[in-house]
Amino acid sequence: MTKPDQLEKWRQTIIGVHRDAGINWLGQLDSLIRDCEKRWEITIHQPFPDLSYNYVAPATAKDGMKLVVKLGVPHAEGLCEIEALRYYNGRGMVNLIDSSASEGALLLEDLRPGHVLSSVLTEE
C-alpha cells in the first residue's frame, strides 16, 4: 500500500516533470480513475507503493480477472509505449488489454515478478 508521504513525493515528481500539465492532470486523476472503472468495468484498487512517473494500481474485472491500470500525463513517450505494446502483443512483455492515448491510460495484464529488479544484487 502506498503511504501518504510516498504519494506526495510522487505528486511533486509529476509537477516537477510536467509543470502545469502535471498540476492539471493531478486535479483530474480521481475523475480519470472513475472513468476507467466505468469504461473497462473494473475496480481499481490502491496504487502500488513507490510510484515514479505514473499512477499504477492493481485492478479487478467484474469476472474476477486480475489486471493493472497505468495512468500518466499524456505525452509523446506514452503514445510510443502504447504502440510498442501493441506491436509486441504480449510476446516477451506485458500484454496491453486496452488503452486511451489521449488520457494516458493503459489497461494491462497483471504480471508479478518473484523479485523486484532493484533487489537483485548480481547479474547471475
Side-chain angles (χ1 to χ4, degrees), residues 34-61:
R34 286 190 304 275
D35 290 348
C36 288
E37 286 181 318
K38 185 176 180 180
R39 175 184 322 120
W40 290 324
E41 298 181 319
I42 60 174
T43 300
I44 299 175
H45 307 289
Q46 291 296 309
F48 291 111
D50 301 319
L51 297 174
S52 55
Y53 297 97
N54 297 286
Y55 183 93
V56 184
T60 307

mmCIF file with all atom_site columns, all heavy atoms in Angstrom, residues 34-61:
data_model
loop_
_atom_site.group_PDB
_atom_site.id
_atom_site.type_symbol
_atom_site.label_atom_id
_atom_site.label_alt_id
_atom_site.label_comp_id
_atom_site.label_asym_id
_atom_site.label_entity_id
_atom_site.label_seq_id
_atom_site.pdbx_PDB_ins_code
_atom_site.Cartn_x
_atom_site.Cartn_y
_atom_site.Cartn_z
_atom_site.occupancy
_atom_site.B_iso_or_equiv
_atom_site.pdbx_formal_charge
_atom_site.auth_seq_id
_atom_site.auth_comp_id
_atom_site.auth_asym_id
_atom_site.auth_atom_id
_atom_site.pdbx_PDB_model_num
ATOM 1   N N   . ARG A 1 34 ? -12.252 7.019  -12.046 1.00 0.00 ? 34 ARG A N   1
ATOM 2   C CA  . ARG A 1 34 ? -13.678 6.630  -12.134 1.00 0.00 ? 34 ARG A CA  1
ATOM 3   C C   . ARG A 1 34 ? -14.080 6.333  -13.573 1.00 0.00 ? 34 ARG A C   1
ATOM 4   O O   . ARG A 1 34 ? -14.804 5.379  -13.845 1.00 0.00 ? 34 ARG A O   1
ATOM 5   C CB  . ARG A 1 34 ? -14.566 7.718  -11.535 1.00 0.00 ? 34 ARG A CB  1
ATOM 6   C CG  . ARG A 1 34 ? -14.518 7.783  -10.013 1.00 0.00 ? 34 ARG A CG  1
ATOM 7   C CD  . ARG A 1 34 ? -15.575 8.699  -9.434  1.00 0.00 ? 34 ARG A CD  1
ATOM 8   N NE  . ARG A 1 34 ? -15.536 10.055 -9.957  1.00 0.00 ? 34 ARG A NE  1
ATOM 9   C CZ  . ARG A 1 34 ? -14.762 11.034 -9.482  1.00 0.00 ? 34 ARG A CZ  1
ATOM 10  N NH1 . ARG A 1 34 ? -13.939 10.800 -8.481  1.00 0.00 ? 34 ARG A NH1 1
ATOM 11  N NH2 . ARG A 1 34 ? -14.802 12.240 -10.018 1.00 0.00 ? 34 ARG A NH2 1
ATOM 12  N N   . ASP A 1 35 ? -13.607 7.166  -14.515 1.00 0.00 ? 35 ASP A N   1
ATOM 13  C CA  . ASP A 1 35 ? -13.930 6.943  -15.927 1.00 0.00 ? 35 ASP A CA  1
ATOM 14  C C   . ASP A 1 35 ? -13.374 5.601  -16.418 1.00 0.00 ? 35 ASP A C   1
ATOM 15  O O   . ASP A 1 35 ? -14.048 4.884  -17.163 1.00 0.00 ? 35 ASP A O   1
ATOM 16  C CB  . ASP A 1 35 ? -13.380 8.070  -16.801 1.00 0.00 ? 35 ASP A CB  1
ATOM 17  C CG  . ASP A 1 35 ? -14.104 9.382  -16.611 1.00 0.00 ? 35 ASP A CG  1
ATOM 18  O OD1 . ASP A 1 35 ? -15.189 9.399  -15.978 1.00 0.00 ? 35 ASP A OD1 1
ATOM 19  O OD2 . ASP A 1 35 ? -13.580 10.420 -17.077 1.00 0.00 ? 35 ASP A OD2 1
ATOM 20  N N   . CYS A 1 36 ? -12.148 5.273  -16.012 1.00 0.00 ? 36 CYS A N   1
ATOM 21  C CA  . CYS A 1 36 ? -11.546 3.998  -16.418 1.00 0.00 ? 36 CYS A CA  1
ATOM 22  C C   . CYS A 1 36 ? -12.315 2.832  -15.821 1.00 0.00 ? 36 CYS A C   1
ATOM 23  O O   . CYS A 1 36 ? -12.548 1.820  -16.498 1.00 0.00 ? 36 CYS A O   1
ATOM 24  C CB  . CYS A 1 36 ? -10.081 3.944  -15.992 1.00 0.00 ? 36 CYS A CB  1
ATOM 25  S SG  . CYS A 1 36 ? -8.996  5.012  -16.963 1.00 0.00 ? 36 CYS A SG  1
ATOM 26  N N   . GLU A 1 37 ? -12.723 2.963  -14.553 1.00 0.00 ? 37 GLU A N   1
ATOM 27  C CA  . GLU A 1 37 ? -13.502 1.898  -13.919 1.00 0.00 ? 37 GLU A CA  1
ATOM 28  C C   . GLU A 1 37 ? -14.800 1.654  -14.691 1.00 0.00 ? 37 GLU A C   1
ATOM 29  O O   . GLU A 1 37 ? -15.172 0.503  -14.937 1.00 0.00 ? 37 GLU A O   1
ATOM 30  C CB  . GLU A 1 37 ? -13.810 2.256  -12.463 1.00 0.00 ? 37 GLU A CB  1
ATOM 31  C CG  . GLU A 1 37 ? -12.609 2.119  -11.548 1.00 0.00 ? 37 GLU A CG  1
ATOM 32  C CD  . GLU A 1 37 ? -12.916 2.459  -10.110 1.00 0.00 ? 37 GLU A CD  1
ATOM 33  O OE1 . GLU A 1 37 ? -13.645 3.453  -9.867  1.00 0.00 ? 37 GLU A OE1 1
ATOM 34  O OE2 . GLU A 1 37 ? -12.415 1.744  -9.223  1.00 0.00 ? 37 GLU A OE2 1
ATOM 35  N N   . LYS A 1 38 ? -15.454 2.715  -15.077 1.00 0.00 ? 38 LYS A N   1
ATOM 36  C CA  . LYS A 1 38 ? -16.722 2.593  -15.795 1.00 0.00 ? 38 LYS A CA  1
ATOM 37  C C   . LYS A 1 38 ? -16.499 2.029  -17.207 1.00 0.00 ? 38 LYS A C   1
ATOM 38  O O   . LYS A 1 38 ? -17.184 1.100  -17.629 1.00 0.00 ? 38 LYS A O   1
ATOM 39  C CB  . LYS A 1 38 ? -17.400 3.960  -15.868 1.00 0.00 ? 38 LYS A CB  1
ATOM 40  C CG  . LYS A 1 38 ? -18.770 3.920  -16.482 1.00 0.00 ? 38 LYS A CG  1
ATOM 41  C CD  . LYS A 1 38 ? -19.432 5.278  -16.432 1.00 0.00 ? 38 LYS A CD  1
ATOM 42  C CE  . LYS A 1 38 ? -20.809 5.234  -17.055 1.00 0.00 ? 38 LYS A CE  1
ATOM 43  N NZ  . LYS A 1 38 ? -21.473 6.535  -17.019 1.00 0.00 ? 38 LYS A NZ  1
ATOM 44  N N   . ARG A 1 39 ? -15.545 2.597  -17.940 1.00 0.00 ? 39 ARG A N   1
ATOM 45  C CA  . ARG A 1 39 ? -15.298 2.179  -19.329 1.00 0.00 ? 39 ARG A CA  1
ATOM 46  C C   . ARG A 1 39 ? -14.898 0.719  -19.418 1.00 0.00 ? 39 ARG A C   1
ATOM 47  O O   . ARG A 1 39 ? -15.373 -0.019 -20.279 1.00 0.00 ? 39 ARG A O   1
ATOM 48  C CB  . ARG A 1 39 ? -14.185 3.039  -19.944 1.00 0.00 ? 39 ARG A CB  1
ATOM 49  C CG  . ARG A 1 39 ? -13.787 2.603  -21.349 1.00 0.00 ? 39 ARG A CG  1
ATOM 50  C CD  . ARG A 1 39 ? -12.615 3.377  -21.954 1.00 0.00 ? 39 ARG A CD  1
ATOM 51  N NE  . ARG A 1 39 ? -12.634 4.767  -21.632 1.00 0.00 ? 39 ARG A NE  1
ATOM 52  C CZ  . ARG A 1 39 ? -11.646 5.395  -20.953 1.00 0.00 ? 39 ARG A CZ  1
ATOM 53  N NH1 . ARG A 1 39 ? -10.603 4.717  -20.538 1.00 0.00 ? 39 ARG A NH1 1
ATOM 54  N NH2 . ARG A 1 39 ? -11.713 6.676  -20.708 1.00 0.00 ? 39 ARG A NH2 1
ATOM 55  N N   . TRP A 1 40 ? -13.990 0.289  -18.536 1.00 0.00 ? 40 TRP A N   1
ATOM 56  C CA  . TRP A 1 40 ? -13.453 -1.059 -18.621 1.00 0.00 ? 40 TRP A CA  1
ATOM 57  C C   . TRP A 1 40 ? -14.159 -2.036 -17.671 1.00 0.00 ? 40 TRP A C   1
ATOM 58  O O   . TRP A 1 40 ? -13.768 -3.203 -17.611 1.00 0.00 ? 40 TRP A O   1
ATOM 59  C CB  . TRP A 1 40 ? -11.955 -1.036 -18.360 1.00 0.00 ? 40 TRP A CB  1
ATOM 60  C CG  . TRP A 1 40 ? -11.177 -0.386 -19.471 1.00 0.00 ? 40 TRP A CG  1
ATOM 61  C CD1 . TRP A 1 40 ? -11.447 -0.448 -20.808 1.00 0.00 ? 40 TRP A CD1 1
ATOM 62  C CD2 . TRP A 1 40 ? -10.011 0.424  -19.346 1.00 0.00 ? 40 TRP A CD2 1
ATOM 63  N NE1 . TRP A 1 40 ? -10.509 0.260  -21.526 1.00 0.00 ? 40 TRP A NE1 1
ATOM 64  C CE2 . TRP A 1 40 ? -9.601  0.817  -20.642 1.00 0.00 ? 40 TRP A CE2 1
ATOM 65  C CE3 . TRP A 1 40 ? -9.245  0.861  -18.276 1.00 0.00 ? 40 TRP A CE3 1
ATOM 66  C CZ2 . TRP A 1 40 ? -8.487  1.605  -20.894 1.00 0.00 ? 40 TRP A CZ2 1
ATOM 67  C CZ3 . TRP A 1 40 ? -8.129  1.654  -18.520 1.00 0.00 ? 40 TRP A CZ3 1
ATOM 68  C CH2 . TRP A 1 40 ? -7.760  2.013  -19.818 1.00 0.00 ? 40 TRP A CH2 1
ATOM 69  N N   . GLU A 1 41 ? -15.159 -1.556 -16.946 1.00 0.00 ? 41 GLU A N   1
ATOM 70  C CA  . GLU A 1 41 ? -15.906 -2.382 -15.996 1.00 0.00 ? 41 GLU A CA  1
ATOM 71  C C   . GLU A 1 41 ? -14.962 -3.102 -15.037 1.00 0.00 ? 41 GLU A C   1
ATOM 72  O O   . GLU A 1 41 ? -14.951 -4.333 -14.921 1.00 0.00 ? 41 GLU A O   1
ATOM 73  C CB  . GLU A 1 41 ? -16.816 -3.371 -16.733 1.00 0.00 ? 41 GLU A CB  1
ATOM 74  C CG  . GLU A 1 41 ? -17.865 -2.672 -17.574 1.00 0.00 ? 41 GLU A CG  1
ATOM 75  C CD  . GLU A 1 41 ? -18.791 -3.624 -18.289 1.00 0.00 ? 41 GLU A CD  1
ATOM 76  O OE1 . GLU A 1 41 ? -18.319 -4.662 -18.823 1.00 0.00 ? 41 GLU A OE1 1
ATOM 77  O OE2 . GLU A 1 41 ? -19.995 -3.337 -18.309 1.00 0.00 ? 41 GLU A OE2 1
ATOM 78  N N   . ILE A 1 42 ? -14.146 -2.298 -14.360 1.00 0.00 ? 42 ILE A N   1
ATOM 79  C CA  . ILE A 1 42 ? -13.153 -2.798 -13.418 1.00 0.00 ? 42 ILE A CA  1
ATOM 80  C C   . ILE A 1 42 ? -13.259 -2.028 -12.108 1.00 0.00 ? 42 ILE A C   1
ATOM 81  O O   . ILE A 1 42 ? -13.891 -0.967 -12.053 1.00 0.00 ? 42 ILE A O   1
ATOM 82  C CB  . ILE A 1 42 ? -11.716 -2.660 -13.969 1.00 0.00 ? 42 ILE A CB  1
ATOM 83  C CG1 . ILE A 1 42 ? -11.379 -1.184 -14.249 1.00 0.00 ? 42 ILE A CG1 1
ATOM 84  C CG2 . ILE A 1 42 ? -11.523 -3.523 -15.215 1.00 0.00 ? 42 ILE A CG2 1
ATOM 85  C CD1 . ILE A 1 42 ? -9.948  -0.925 -14.665 1.00 0.00 ? 42 ILE A CD1 1
ATOM 86  N N   . THR A 1 43 ? -12.638 -2.571 -11.096 1.00 0.00 ? 43 THR A N   1
ATOM 87  C CA  . THR A 1 43 ? -12.448 -1.862 -9.834  1.00 0.00 ? 43 THR A CA  1
ATOM 88  C C   . THR A 1 43 ? -10.955 -1.610 -9.696  1.00 0.00 ? 43 THR A C   1
ATOM 89  O O   . THR A 1 43 ? -10.162 -2.563 -9.744  1.00 0.00 ? 43 THR A O   1
ATOM 90  C CB  . THR A 1 43 ? -12.952 -2.697 -8.649  1.00 0.00 ? 43 THR A CB  1
ATOM 91  O OG1 . THR A 1 43 ? -14.344 -2.949 -8.826  1.00 0.00 ? 43 THR A OG1 1
ATOM 92  C CG2 . THR A 1 43 ? -12.729 -1.976 -7.332  1.00 0.00 ? 43 THR A CG2 1
ATOM 93  N N   . ILE A 1 44 ? -10.576 -0.359 -9.554  1.00 0.00 ? 44 ILE A N   1
ATOM 94  C CA  . ILE A 1 44 ? -9.171  -0.003 -9.381  1.00 0.00 ? 44 ILE A CA  1
ATOM 95  C C   . ILE A 1 44 ? -8.902  0.114  -7.882  1.00 0.00 ? 44 ILE A C   1
ATOM 96  O O   . ILE A 1 44 ? -9.600  0.815  -7.165  1.00 0.00 ? 44 ILE A O   1
ATOM 97  C CB  . ILE A 1 44 ? -8.836  1.312  -10.111 1.00 0.00 ? 44 ILE A CB  1
ATOM 98  C CG1 . ILE A 1 44 ? -9.084  1.142  -11.616 1.00 0.00 ? 44 ILE A CG1 1
ATOM 99  C CG2 . ILE A 1 44 ? -7.382  1.723  -9.841  1.00 0.00 ? 44 ILE A CG2 1
ATOM 100 C CD1 . ILE A 1 44 ? -8.912  2.405  -12.443 1.00 0.00 ? 44 ILE A CD1 1
ATOM 101 N N   . HIS A 1 45 ? -7.868  -0.581 -7.437  1.00 0.00 ? 45 HIS A N   1
ATOM 102 C CA  . HIS A 1 45 ? -7.517  -0.626 -6.023  1.00 0.00 ? 45 HIS A CA  1
ATOM 103 C C   . HIS A 1 45 ? -6.448  0.425  -5.706  1.00 0.00 ? 45 HIS A C   1
ATOM 104 O O   . HIS A 1 45 ? -6.053  1.204  -6.581  1.00 0.00 ? 45 HIS A O   1
ATOM 105 C CB  . HIS A 1 45 ? -7.053  -2.035 -5.661  1.00 0.00 ? 45 HIS A CB  1
ATOM 106 C CG  . HIS A 1 45 ? -8.041  -3.088 -6.072  1.00 0.00 ? 45 HIS A CG  1
ATOM 107 N ND1 . HIS A 1 45 ? -9.258  -3.260 -5.450  1.00 0.00 ? 45 HIS A ND1 1
ATOM 108 C CD2 . HIS A 1 45 ? -8.010  -3.991 -7.080  1.00 0.00 ? 45 HIS A CD2 1
ATOM 109 C CE1 . HIS A 1 45 ? -9.921  -4.238 -6.032  1.00 0.00 ? 45 HIS A CE1 1
ATOM 110 N NE2 . HIS A 1 45 ? -9.190  -4.700 -7.036  1.00 0.00 ? 45 HIS A NE2 1
ATOM 111 N N   . GLN A 1 46 ? -5.971  0.429  -4.471  1.00 0.00 ? 46 GLN A N   1
ATOM 112 C CA  . GLN A 1 46 ? -4.936  1.373  -4.057  1.00 0.00 ? 46 GLN A CA  1
ATOM 113 C C   . GLN A 1 46 ? -3.689  1.185  -4.914  1.00 0.00 ? 46 GLN A C   1
ATOM 114 O O   . GLN A 1 46 ? -3.357  0.054  -5.307  1.00 0.00 ? 46 GLN A O   1
ATOM 115 C CB  . GLN A 1 46 ? -4.573  1.161  -2.580  1.00 0.00 ? 46 GLN A CB  1
ATOM 116 C CG  . GLN A 1 46 ? -5.677  1.555  -1.627  1.00 0.00 ? 46 GLN A CG  1
ATOM 117 C CD  . GLN A 1 46 ? -5.959  3.049  -1.701  1.00 0.00 ? 46 GLN A CD  1
ATOM 118 O OE1 . GLN A 1 46 ? -5.065  3.873  -1.612  1.00 0.00 ? 46 GLN A OE1 1
ATOM 119 N NE2 . GLN A 1 46 ? -7.224  3.399  -1.889  1.00 0.00 ? 46 GLN A NE2 1
ATOM 120 N N   . PRO A 1 47 ? -2.979  2.271  -5.237  1.00 0.00 ? 47 PRO A N   1
ATOM 121 C CA  . PRO A 1 47 ? -1.798  2.150  -6.095  1.00 0.00 ? 47 PRO A CA  1
ATOM 122 C C   . PRO A 1 47 ? -0.686  1.338  -5.440  1.00 0.00 ? 47 PRO A C   1
ATOM 123 O O   . PRO A 1 47 ? -0.632  1.211  -4.214  1.00 0.00 ? 47 PRO A O   1
ATOM 124 C CB  . PRO A 1 47 ? -1.370  3.602  -6.317  1.00 0.00 ? 47 PRO A CB  1
ATOM 125 C CG  . PRO A 1 47 ? -1.892  4.334  -5.133  1.00 0.00 ? 47 PRO A CG  1
ATOM 126 C CD  . PRO A 1 47 ? -3.181  3.642  -4.773  1.00 0.00 ? 47 PRO A CD  1
ATOM 127 N N   . PHE A 1 48 ? 0.176   0.815  -6.290  1.00 0.00 ? 48 PHE A N   1
ATOM 128 C CA  . PHE A 1 48 ? 1.360   0.119  -5.803  1.00 0.00 ? 48 PHE A CA  1
ATOM 129 C C   . PHE A 1 48 ? 2.254   1.118  -5.068  1.00 0.00 ? 48 PHE A C   1
ATOM 130 O O   . PHE A 1 48 ? 2.239   2.317  -5.372  1.00 0.00 ? 48 PHE A O   1
ATOM 131 C CB  . PHE A 1 48 ? 2.138   -0.500 -6.973  1.00 0.00 ? 48 PHE A CB  1
ATOM 132 C CG  . PHE A 1 48 ? 1.424   -1.644 -7.638  1.00 0.00 ? 48 PHE A CG  1
ATOM 133 C CD1 . PHE A 1 48 ? 0.921   -1.522 -8.923  1.00 0.00 ? 48 PHE A CD1 1
ATOM 134 C CD2 . PHE A 1 48 ? 1.269   -2.853 -6.972  1.00 0.00 ? 48 PHE A CD2 1
ATOM 135 C CE1 . PHE A 1 48 ? 0.275   -2.581 -9.538  1.00 0.00 ? 48 PHE A CE1 1
ATOM 136 C CE2 . PHE A 1 48 ? 0.615   -3.925 -7.582  1.00 0.00 ? 48 PHE A CE2 1
ATOM 137 C CZ  . PHE A 1 48 ? 0.121   -3.781 -8.873  1.00 0.00 ? 48 PHE A CZ  1
ATOM 138 N N   . PRO A 1 49 ? 3.066   0.646  -4.125  1.00 0.00 ? 49 PRO A N   1
ATOM 139 C CA  . PRO A 1 49 ? 3.984   1.561  -3.439  1.00 0.00 ? 49 PRO A CA  1
ATOM 140 C C   . PRO A 1 49 ? 5.093   2.025  -4.385  1.00 0.00 ? 49 PRO A C   1
ATOM 141 O O   . PRO A 1 49 ? 5.343   1.407  -5.423  1.00 0.00 ? 49 PRO A O   1
ATOM 142 C CB  . PRO A 1 49 ? 4.554   0.708  -2.305  1.00 0.00 ? 49 PRO A CB  1
ATOM 143 C CG  . PRO A 1 49 ? 4.321   -0.706 -2.700  1.00 0.00 ? 49 PRO A CG  1
ATOM 144 C CD  . PRO A 1 49 ? 3.128   -0.717 -3.614  1.00 0.00 ? 49 PRO A CD  1
ATOM 145 N N   . ASP A 1 50 ? 5.722   3.096  -3.999  1.00 0.00 ? 50 ASP A N   1
ATOM 146 C CA  . ASP A 1 50 ? 6.884   3.626  -4.725  1.00 0.00 ? 50 ASP A CA  1
ATOM 147 C C   . ASP A 1 50 ? 6.573   4.004  -6.168  1.00 0.00 ? 50 ASP A C   1
ATOM 148 O O   . ASP A 1 50 ? 7.294   3.631  -7.100  1.00 0.00 ? 50 ASP A O   1
ATOM 149 C CB  . ASP A 1 50 ? 8.055   2.635  -4.676  1.00 0.00 ? 50 ASP A CB  1
ATOM 150 C CG  . ASP A 1 50 ? 8.488   2.321  -3.250  1.00 0.00 ? 50 ASP A CG  1
ATOM 151 O OD1 . ASP A 1 50 ? 8.530   3.268  -2.431  1.00 0.00 ? 50 ASP A OD1 1
ATOM 152 O OD2 . ASP A 1 50 ? 8.767   1.154  -2.958  1.00 0.00 ? 50 ASP A OD2 1
ATOM 153 N N   . LEU A 1 51 ? 5.491   4.743  -6.367  1.00 0.00 ? 51 LEU A N   1
ATOM 154 C CA  . LEU A 1 51 ? 5.171   5.253  -7.702  1.00 0.00 ? 51 LEU A CA  1
ATOM 155 C C   . LEU A 1 51 ? 6.311   6.149  -8.175  1.00 0.00 ? 51 LEU A C   1
ATOM 156 O O   . LEU A 1 51 ? 6.952   6.826  -7.378  1.00 0.00 ? 51 LEU A O   1
ATOM 157 C CB  . LEU A 1 51 ? 3.869   6.056  -7.664  1.00 0.00 ? 51 LEU A CB  1
ATOM 158 C CG  . LEU A 1 51 ? 2.611   5.285  -7.262  1.00 0.00 ? 51 LEU A CG  1
ATOM 159 C CD1 . LEU A 1 51 ? 1.432   6.244  -7.134  1.00 0.00 ? 51 LEU A CD1 1
ATOM 160 C CD2 . LEU A 1 51 ? 2.307   4.184  -8.263  1.00 0.00 ? 51 LEU A CD2 1
ATOM 161 N N   . SER A 1 52 ? 6.543   6.182  -9.487  1.00 0.00 ? 52 SER A N   1
ATOM 162 C CA  . SER A 1 52 ? 7.598   7.042  -10.021 1.00 0.00 ? 52 SER A CA  1
ATOM 163 C C   . SER A 1 52 ? 6.992   8.123  -10.906 1.00 0.00 ? 52 SER A C   1
ATOM 164 O O   . SER A 1 52 ? 6.765   9.235  -10.456 1.00 0.00 ? 52 SER A O   1
ATOM 165 C CB  . SER A 1 52 ? 8.653   6.221  -10.763 1.00 0.00 ? 52 SER A CB  1
ATOM 166 O OG  . SER A 1 52 ? 8.048   5.435  -11.778 1.00 0.00 ? 52 SER A OG  1
ATOM 167 N N   . TYR A 1 53 ? 6.691   7.803  -12.161 1.00 0.00 ? 53 TYR A N   1
ATOM 168 C CA  . TYR A 1 53 ? 6.182   8.810  -13.090 1.00 0.00 ? 53 TYR A CA  1
ATOM 169 C C   . TYR A 1 53 ? 4.761   8.532  -13.547 1.00 0.00 ? 53 TYR A C   1
ATOM 170 O O   . TYR A 1 53 ? 4.220   9.270  -14.355 1.00 0.00 ? 53 TYR A O   1
ATOM 171 C CB  . TYR A 1 53 ? 7.101   8.914  -14.309 1.00 0.00 ? 53 TYR A CB  1
ATOM 172 C CG  . TYR A 1 53 ? 8.483   9.372  -13.935 1.00 0.00 ? 53 TYR A CG  1
ATOM 173 C CD1 . TYR A 1 53 ? 9.514   8.465  -13.736 1.00 0.00 ? 53 TYR A CD1 1
ATOM 174 C CD2 . TYR A 1 53 ? 8.745   10.726 -13.737 1.00 0.00 ? 53 TYR A CD2 1
ATOM 175 C CE1 . TYR A 1 53 ? 10.776  8.889  -13.366 1.00 0.00 ? 53 TYR A CE1 1
ATOM 176 C CE2 . TYR A 1 53 ? 10.003  11.155 -13.370 1.00 0.00 ? 53 TYR A CE2 1
ATOM 177 C CZ  . TYR A 1 53 ? 11.013  10.231 -13.188 1.00 0.00 ? 53 TYR A CZ  1
ATOM 178 O OH  . TYR A 1 53 ? 12.259  10.667 -12.816 1.00 0.00 ? 53 TYR A OH  1
ATOM 179 N N   . ASN A 1 54 ? 4.174   7.455  -13.069 1.00 0.00 ? 54 ASN A N   1
ATOM 180 C CA  . ASN A 1 54 ? 2.819   7.069  -13.452 1.00 0.00 ? 54 ASN A CA  1
ATOM 181 C C   . ASN A 1 54 ? 2.063   6.592  -12.220 1.00 0.00 ? 54 ASN A C   1
ATOM 182 O O   . ASN A 1 54 ? 2.665   6.163  -11.238 1.00 0.00 ? 54 ASN A O   1
ATOM 183 C CB  . ASN A 1 54 ? 2.847   5.928  -14.479 1.00 0.00 ? 54 ASN A CB  1
ATOM 184 C CG  . ASN A 1 54 ? 3.522   6.337  -15.756 1.00 0.00 ? 54 ASN A CG  1
ATOM 185 O OD1 . ASN A 1 54 ? 2.957   7.080  -16.551 1.00 0.00 ? 54 ASN A OD1 1
ATOM 186 N ND2 . ASN A 1 54 ? 4.743   5.873  -15.971 1.00 0.00 ? 54 ASN A ND2 1
ATOM 187 N N   . TYR A 1 55 ? 0.746   6.641  -12.310 1.00 0.00 ? 55 TYR A N   1
ATOM 188 C CA  . TYR A 1 55 ? -0.117  6.076  -11.281 1.00 0.00 ? 55 TYR A CA  1
ATOM 189 C C   . TYR A 1 55 ? -0.380  4.649  -11.722 1.00 0.00 ? 55 TYR A C   1
ATOM 190 O O   . TYR A 1 55 ? -0.997  4.420  -12.771 1.00 0.00 ? 55 TYR A O   1
ATOM 191 C CB  . TYR A 1 55 ? -1.414  6.886  -11.205 1.00 0.00 ? 55 TYR A CB  1
ATOM 192 C CG  . TYR A 1 55 ? -2.356  6.446  -10.118 1.00 0.00 ? 55 TYR A CG  1
ATOM 193 C CD1 . TYR A 1 55 ? -2.315  7.041  -8.866  1.00 0.00 ? 55 TYR A CD1 1
ATOM 194 C CD2 . TYR A 1 55 ? -3.282  5.441  -10.346 1.00 0.00 ? 55 TYR A CD2 1
ATOM 195 C CE1 . TYR A 1 55 ? -3.181  6.658  -7.863  1.00 0.00 ? 55 TYR A CE1 1
ATOM 196 C CE2 . TYR A 1 55 ? -4.155  5.040  -9.350  1.00 0.00 ? 55 TYR A CE2 1
ATOM 197 C CZ  . TYR A 1 55 ? -4.100  5.648  -8.112  1.00 0.00 ? 55 TYR A CZ  1
ATOM 198 O OH  . TYR A 1 55 ? -4.955  5.257  -7.111  1.00 0.00 ? 55 TYR A OH  1
ATOM 199 N N   . VAL A 1 56 ? 0.102   3.681  -10.970 1.00 0.00 ? 56 VAL A N   1
ATOM 200 C CA  . VAL A 1 56 ? -0.022  2.281  -11.348 1.00 0.00 ? 56 VAL A CA  1
ATOM 201 C C   . VAL A 1 56 ? -0.691  1.539  -10.194 1.00 0.00 ? 56 VAL A C   1
ATOM 202 O O   . VAL A 1 56 ? -0.229  1.614  -9.053  1.00 0.00 ? 56 VAL A O   1
ATOM 203 C CB  . VAL A 1 56 ? 1.352   1.657  -11.662 1.00 0.00 ? 56 VAL A CB  1
ATOM 204 C CG1 . VAL A 1 56 ? 1.195   0.217  -12.146 1.00 0.00 ? 56 VAL A CG1 1
ATOM 205 C CG2 . VAL A 1 56 ? 2.100   2.492  -12.700 1.00 0.00 ? 56 VAL A CG2 1
ATOM 206 N N   . ALA A 1 57 ? -1.784  0.850  -10.512 1.00 0.00 ? 57 ALA A N   1
ATOM 207 C CA  . ALA A 1 57 ? -2.564  0.196  -9.467  1.00 0.00 ? 57 ALA A CA  1
ATOM 208 C C   . ALA A 1 57 ? -3.136  -1.128 -9.963  1.00 0.00 ? 57 ALA A C   1
ATOM 209 O O   . ALA A 1 57 ? -3.466  -1.265 -11.142 1.00 0.00 ? 57 ALA A O   1
ATOM 210 C CB  . ALA A 1 57 ? -3.710  1.109  -9.025  1.00 0.00 ? 57 ALA A CB  1
ATOM 211 N N   . PRO A 1 58 ? -3.273  -2.086 -9.048  1.00 0.00 ? 58 PRO A N   1
ATOM 212 C CA  . PRO A 1 58 ? -3.957  -3.317 -9.422  1.00 0.00 ? 58 PRO A CA  1
ATOM 213 C C   . PRO A 1 58 ? -5.438  -3.038 -9.635  1.00 0.00 ? 58 PRO A C   1
ATOM 214 O O   . PRO A 1 58 ? -5.993  -2.088 -9.058  1.00 0.00 ? 58 PRO A O   1
ATOM 215 C CB  . PRO A 1 58 ? -3.736  -4.234 -8.209  1.00 0.00 ? 58 PRO A CB  1
ATOM 216 C CG  . PRO A 1 58 ? -3.468  -3.309 -7.069  1.00 0.00 ? 58 PRO A CG  1
ATOM 217 C CD  . PRO A 1 58 ? -2.846  -2.077 -7.653  1.00 0.00 ? 58 PRO A CD  1
ATOM 218 N N   . ALA A 1 59 ? -6.051  -3.854 -10.449 1.00 0.00 ? 59 ALA A N   1
ATOM 219 C CA  . ALA A 1 59 ? -7.480  -3.711 -10.733 1.00 0.00 ? 59 ALA A CA  1
ATOM 220 C C   . ALA A 1 59 ? -8.076  -5.102 -10.884 1.00 0.00 ? 59 ALA A C   1
ATOM 221 O O   . ALA A 1 59 ? -7.359  -6.069 -11.153 1.00 0.00 ? 59 ALA A O   1
ATOM 222 C CB  . ALA A 1 59 ? -7.696  -2.899 -12.007 1.00 0.00 ? 59 ALA A CB  1
ATOM 223 N N   . THR A 1 60 ? -9.378  -5.167 -10.711 1.00 0.00 ? 60 THR A N   1
ATOM 224 C CA  . THR A 1 60 ? -10.093 -6.424 -10.864 1.00 0.00 ? 60 THR A CA  1
ATOM 225 C C   . THR A 1 60 ? -11.273 -6.216 -11.806 1.00 0.00 ? 60 THR A C   1
ATOM 226 O O   . THR A 1 60 ? -12.053 -5.284 -11.617 1.00 0.00 ? 60 THR A O   1
ATOM 227 C CB  . THR A 1 60 ? -10.615 -6.931 -9.501  1.00 0.00 ? 60 THR A CB  1
ATOM 228 O OG1 . THR A 1 60 ? -9.537  -6.978 -8.577  1.00 0.00 ? 60 THR A OG1 1
ATOM 229 C CG2 . THR A 1 60 ? -11.228 -8.309 -9.635  1.00 0.00 ? 60 THR A CG2 1
ATOM 230 N N   . ALA A 1 61 ? -11.363 -7.080 -12.815 1.00 0.00 ? 61 ALA A N   1
ATOM 231 C CA  . ALA A 1 61 ? -12.507 -7.035 -13.733 1.00 0.00 ? 61 ALA A CA  1
ATOM 232 C C   . ALA A 1 61 ? -13.715 -7.651 -13.047 1.00 0.00 ? 61 ALA A C   1
ATOM 233 O O   . ALA A 1 61 ? -13.585 -8.385 -12.069 1.00 0.00 ? 61 ALA A O   1
ATOM 234 C CB  . ALA A 1 61 ? -12.178 -7.809 -15.011 1.00 0.00 ? 61 ALA A CB  1
#
